[in-house]
């Protein structure tokens, strides 16, 4: 049965299952159009992707330099990595180890979480949007809501045994971290660091645990196609290289794995809030033939029913209002009815696209 019609009671084929079957060629539905294929599209330049040492914010003389570094990173790339961010290596490793355990479970152990409904607070599936994909992508994922964690953790998987504890520890730590990074980003926009503080603290957090199994024909497939996140800010932990970002010249760059580092991505809602000063970064996930890659993405915005709108201080005669308001619930409605490879969410929010 084709996966687009799969329900928990139907047959379901995950990317992990296809890998375990020992295929030497990928099924036709996973072959992406030539324009999307990653082979040969990487920049050959020696561009240094920005790395921000958050511990330097505690030094009054260095703080302005870090704020300026974040400003340039957000404006020029929509991307930076953070180090010395306060989350212990052990917490990050435990989260990745539990993600590996989760996807290594037999398929029948995960099928009760299977869903193609993007509104479900806990959802296991494959590819991107099962109901809308014209092309499938070489990925299995588990997505679940996470903030406030007490509202959602009982819905998370109970198998692996320590999933709730270990992923919960990481989730709480990264929620706190994004609040700190948001203050820095707001300051870099010359807003009050406490701007929307309560809304940010009580905002939505979606944890996307992604598994990109080894792929027999990686030059023909993608784990995720080029896209921007809907979020204000996304924070990503990866165990192997595979994430690539597009710069403003539309050149692709591989994001290296830095021990202890985390990746910060500007999303569509930050583009709205900044009235276009910071654009959401286009990124994609590549696959390889040698090993399974795991990533844990924590996507942050305002609460489900709240709207993000341009900060009034960033709208004036020189910077006219350029975006309509939008929220997490609007985004869910959007992806339930659109193919996001063909239609961009941010274009729906632009006043003059």
């Amino acid at each position: 049965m084709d996966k687009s019609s799969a329900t928990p009671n139907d047959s379901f084929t995950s990317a992990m299952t296809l890998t375990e079957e020992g295929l030497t060629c990928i099924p036709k539905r996973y072959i992406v159009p030539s324009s999307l294929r990653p082979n040969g599209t990487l920049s050959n330049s020696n561009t240094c992707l920005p790395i921000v040492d958050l511990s330097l914010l505690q030094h009054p003389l260095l703080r302005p330099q870090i704020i300026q570094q974040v400003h340039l990173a957000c404006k020029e790339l929509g991307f930076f990595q953070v180090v010395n961010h306060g989350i212990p290596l052990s917490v990050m490793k435990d989260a990745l180890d539990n993600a590996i355990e989760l996807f290594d479970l037999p398929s029948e152990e995960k099928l009760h979480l299977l869903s193609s409904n993007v509104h479900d607070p806990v959802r296991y599936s494959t590819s991107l949007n099962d109901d809308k994909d014209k092309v499938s992508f070489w990925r299995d994922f588990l997505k679940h809501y996470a903030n406030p964690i007490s509202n959602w953790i009982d819905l998370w998987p109970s198998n692996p045994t320590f999933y709730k504890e270990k992923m919960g520890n990481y989730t709480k730590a990264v929620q706190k971290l994004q609040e700190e990074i948001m203050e820095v980003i707001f300051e870099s926009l010359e807003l009050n660091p406490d701007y929307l503080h309560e809304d940010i603290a009580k905002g939505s957090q979606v944890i996307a645990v992604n598994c990109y199994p080894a792929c027999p024909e990686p030059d023909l497939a993608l784990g995720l196609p080029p896209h921007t996140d809907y979020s204000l800010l996304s924070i990503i932990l990866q165990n192997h290289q595979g994430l690539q970002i597009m710069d403003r010249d539309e050149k692709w760059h591989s994001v290296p794995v830095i021990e202890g580092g985390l990746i910060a991505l500007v999303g569509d809602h930050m583009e709205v809030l900044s009235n276009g000063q910071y654009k959401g970064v286009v990124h994609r996930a590549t696959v390889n033939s040698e090993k399974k890659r795991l990533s844990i993405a924590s996507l942050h915005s305002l609460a489900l029913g709240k709207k993000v709108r341009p900060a009034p201080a960033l709208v004036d005669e020189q910077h006219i209002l350029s975006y309509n308001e939008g929220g997490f619930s609007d985004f869910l409605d959007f992806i339930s009815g659109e193919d996001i490879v063909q239609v961009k969410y941010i274009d729906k929010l632009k006043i003059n696209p």
Side-chain angles (χ1 to χ4, degrees):
M1 178 176 292
D2 186 86
K3 71 176 185 60
S4 64
S5 59
T7 71
N9 296 318
D10 296 324
S11 62
F12 169 77
T13 303
S14 68
M16 278 288 289
T17 298
L18 292 175
T19 299
E20 290 162 358
E21 289 175 353
L23 299 179
T24 56
C25 300
I26 61 174
K28 185 177 179 180
R29 70 179 184 272
Y30 288 93
I31 299 176
V32 301
S34 56
S35 61
L36 291 181
R37 293 176 195 169
N39 191 31
T41 61
L42 274 181
S43 172
N44 292 319
S45 71
N46 293 319
T47 301
C48 292
L49 299 179
I51 300 173
V52 176
D53 185 341
L54 292 182
S55 69
L56 300 181
L57 290 168
Q58 308 307 315
H59 298 266
L61 295 178
L62 297 177
R63 184 180 178 89
Q65 296 177 31
I66 301 303
I67 300 299
Q68 179 64 9
Q69 185 184 9
V70 168
H71 172 71
L72 291 175
C74 290
K75 190 174 183 64
E76 295 176 0
L77 286 174
F79 159 93
F80 54 95
Q81 295 212 62
V82 292
V83 296
N84 295 324
H85 44 66
I87 301 180
L89 271 173
S90 59
V91 171
M92 298 162 64
K93 182 180 183 300
D94 283 349
L96 283 170
D97 287 348
N98 268 260
I100 292 170
E101 285 186 52
L102 173 75
F103 290 108
D104 282 347
L105 291 172
S107 292
E108 56 270 19
E109 294 287 335
K110 295 171 283 192
L111 285 181
H112 69 286
L113 302 168
L114 181 64
S115 172
S116 60
N117 183 352
V118 300
H119 293 272
D120 285 347
V122 178
R123 183 164 75 98
Y124 166 67
S125 193
T126 189
S127 191
L128 227 175
N129 184 336
D130 291 348
D131 292 336
K132 297 295 176 181
D133 289 345
K134 293 181 173 61
V135 176
S136 295
F137 298 97
W138 201 262
R139 172 185 76 141
D140 294 344
F141 68 85
L142 177 71
K143 291 184 179 179
H144 49 68
Y145 294 179
N147 188 53
I149 194 168
S150 58
N151 286 3
W152 306 112
I153 195 168
D154 287 344
L155 301 177
W156 295 8
S158 297
N159 191 13
T161 305
F162 295 105
Y163 183 88
K164 291 178 182 178
E165 177 188 346
K166 303 298 187 182
M167 193 62 70
N169 289 340
Y170 176 74
T171 293
K172 288 182 286 187
V174 81
Q175 167 66 21
K176 180 181 177 183
L177 174 62
Q178 72 89 26
E179 292 176 31
E180 296 172 357
I181 295 176
M182 288 295 291
E183 290 182 0
V184 174
I185 291 176
F186 289 153
E187 190 170 344
S188 78
L189 286 165
E190 299 185 351
L191 297 170
N192 188 314
D194 289 333
Y195 183 66
L196 296 179
H197 176 75
E198 187 172 346
D199 285 331
I200 297 296
K202 295 181 178 179
S204 62
Q205 179 185 20
V206 177
I207 298 293
V209 188
N210 301 300
C211 176
Y212 305 98
C215 177
E217 296 182 291
D219 291 343
L220 300 181
L222 278 174
L224 278 174
H227 68 286
T228 55
D229 290 345
Y230 72 87
S231 56
L232 285 165
L233 183 72
S234 299
I235 297 176
I236 298 175
L237 169 64
Q238 60 174 351
N239 68 341
H240 298 299
Q241 193 163 297
L243 176 67
Q244 296 179 354
I245 64 162
M246 179 187 283
D247 65 23
R248 302 308 184 212
D249 294 324
E250 299 188 355
K251 294 179 180 177
W252 288 101
H253 303 267
S254 281
V255 178
V257 176
I258 299 174
E259 185 176 16
L262 289 167
I263 298 157
L265 301 178
V266 169
D268 293 336
H269 285 165
M270 182 60 73
E271 182 170 336
V272 171
L273 186 146
S274 69
N275 200 33
Q277 285 195 43
Y278 296 165
K279 300 289 198 302
V281 61
V282 176
H283 55 288
R284 67 187 181 188
T286 59
V287 291
N288 69 84
S289 60
E290 303 298 324
K291 53 194 172 187
K292 174 171 54 184
R293 174 176 171 264
L294 275 293
S295 74
I296 303 172
S298 185
L299 290 84
H300 302 266
S301 191
L302 302 188
L304 193 63
K306 292 254 185 179
K307 304 283 189 180
V308 178
R309 55 182 61 87
L314 303 180
V315 179
D316 54 33
E317 290 182 359
Q318 286 74 42
H319 306 91
I320 63 170
L321 185 70
S322 299
Y323 297 84
N324 295 305
E325 64 182 15
F328 180 33
S329 59
D330 299 322
F331 171 73
L332 292 176
D333 291 340
F334 168 80
I335 60 170
S336 66
E338 298 284 358
D339 178 351
I340 71 167
V341 177
Q342 304 295 327
V343 184
K344 295 179 174 61
Y345 171 61
I346 191 61
D347 287 342
K348 298 288 187 180
L349 301 177
K350 291 178 181 176
I351 292 177
N352 295 302

